């Protein structure tokens, strides 16, 4: 049986995530952080961001401080809200080649962003294979300029960080397999020829 938690027929839903035992919903124009234990939602909208419009595409809870919500916003770049109940907000700018965000992942103080995408039929949209890390207030790019093998790849759509070593990262793409990185360098490209991937 399907049941309705709430409905907003005017704002398209861009992304659903789970973090800190809450449902994180990125609508076109605002973010809703829904707490299933009490059925209440906390809204982050333009009235809490200094009045500018929002178009959030991805939301995650900071793994080091659950009061911090990271928002990848198409109009304003990467922002974080600290103590969302007070409406405090800051923007993080610079360092990235694109405003596109498909997924984000965190390990400690490191935030990883992948800008790949999929169409409605789960086919890649041919975005260049890129990933970005935000750490110590600085962006690091992982692109074909840093890793030549990425030149023929498209659409990084998943990120997995080794919980025992945050420099050991896997990037999944829709064209050639799974990239394994260590300290920003490619160590393996796992695909159907050297692994159980189909």
């Amino acid at each position: 049986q399907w049941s309705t938690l709430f409905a907003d027929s005017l704002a398209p839903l861009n992304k659903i995530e789970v973090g800190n035992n809450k449902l994180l919903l990125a609508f076109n124009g605002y973010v809703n952080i829904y707490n299933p234990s009490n059925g209440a939602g906390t809204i982050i909208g333009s009235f809490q961001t200094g009045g500018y419009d929002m178009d959030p595409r991805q939301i995650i809870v900071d793994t080091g401080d659950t009061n911090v919500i990271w928002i990848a916003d198409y109009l304003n770049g990467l922002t974080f809200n600290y103590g969302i109940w007070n409406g405090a907000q800051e923007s993080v700018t610079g360092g990235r080649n694109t405003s596109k965000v498909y997924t984000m992942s965190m390990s400690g103080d490191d935030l990883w962003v992948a800008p790949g995408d999929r169409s409605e039929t789960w086919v890649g949209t041919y975005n260049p294979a890129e990933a970005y890390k935000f750490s110590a207030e600085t962006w690091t790019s992982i692109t074909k300029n840093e890793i030549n093998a990425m030149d023929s790849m498209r659409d990084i759509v998943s990120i997995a960080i080794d919980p025992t070593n945050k420099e050991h990262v896997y990037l999944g793409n829709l064209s050639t397999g799974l990239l394994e990185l260590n300290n920003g360098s490619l160590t393996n490209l796992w695909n159907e020829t050297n692994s159980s991937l189909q």
Side-chain angles (χ1 to χ4, degrees):
Q1 294 287 332
W2 287 93
S3 60
T4 301
L5 293 174
F6 51 85
D8 187 335
S9 61
L10 299 177
L13 179 61
N14 292 326
K15 195 80 169 189
I16 300 174
E17 296 288 342
V18 173
N20 195 28
N21 297 317
K22 295 177 177 62
L23 197 60
L24 309 172
L25 303 151
F27 286 96
N28 188 4
Y30 67 94
V31 166
N32 190 337
I33 302 169
Y34 181 79
N35 188 345
S37 65
N38 62 14
T42 301
I43 303 294
I44 301 173
S46 60
F47 59 92
Q48 289 167 305
T49 55
Y52 60 74
D53 291 334
M54 294 179 67
D55 189 4
R57 302 300 175 95
Q58 175 87 20
I59 324 148
I60 60 173
V61 176
D62 194 307
T63 55
D65 184 348
T66 57
N67 287 317
V68 174
I69 307 296
W70 290 88
I71 303 170
D73 189 276
Y74 187 74
L75 300 176
N76 306 293
L78 182 64
T79 64
F80 68 92
N81 284 64
Y82 181 83
I84 56 174
W85 301 272
N86 299 322
Q89 183 275 337
E90 293 188 37
S91 292
V92 177
T93 58
R96 294 185 54 225
N97 298 336
T98 178
S99 62
K100 295 179 182 177
V101 173
Y102 183 80
T103 191
M104 298 190 295
S105 186
M106 283 202 78
S107 177
D109 294 333
D110 293 353
L111 173 69
W112 282 81
V113 177
D117 205 352
R118 290 186 267 225
S119 70
E120 292 81 4
T121 57
W122 289 75
V123 175
T125 57
Y126 297 98
N127 291 295
E130 300 174 342
Y132 304 94
K133 180 175 78 169
F134 183 71
S135 181
E137 303 296 318
T138 302
W139 284 105
T140 302
S141 298
I142 306 294
T143 69
K144 65 181 181 181
N145 296 328
E146 289 74 34
I147 300 175
N148 291 338
M150 294 176 74
D151 189 32
S152 60
M153 299 176 187
R154 298 289 181 263
D155 292 307
I156 302 289
V157 294
S158 61
I159 303 167
I161 305 169
D162 185 336
T164 63
N165 177 8
K166 67 179 185 173
E167 299 301 326
H168 186 209
V169 178
Y170 292 87
L171 304 175
N173 74 81
L174 293 180
S175 59
T176 54
L178 187 66
L179 291 87
E180 182 179 1
L181 307 178
N182 212 326
N183 292 314
S185 297
L186 181 67
T187 57
N188 280 304
L189 173 58
W190 300 104
N191 56 35
E192 71 281 3
T193 66
N194 60 2
S195 73
S196 58
L197 292 173
Q198 301 294 309

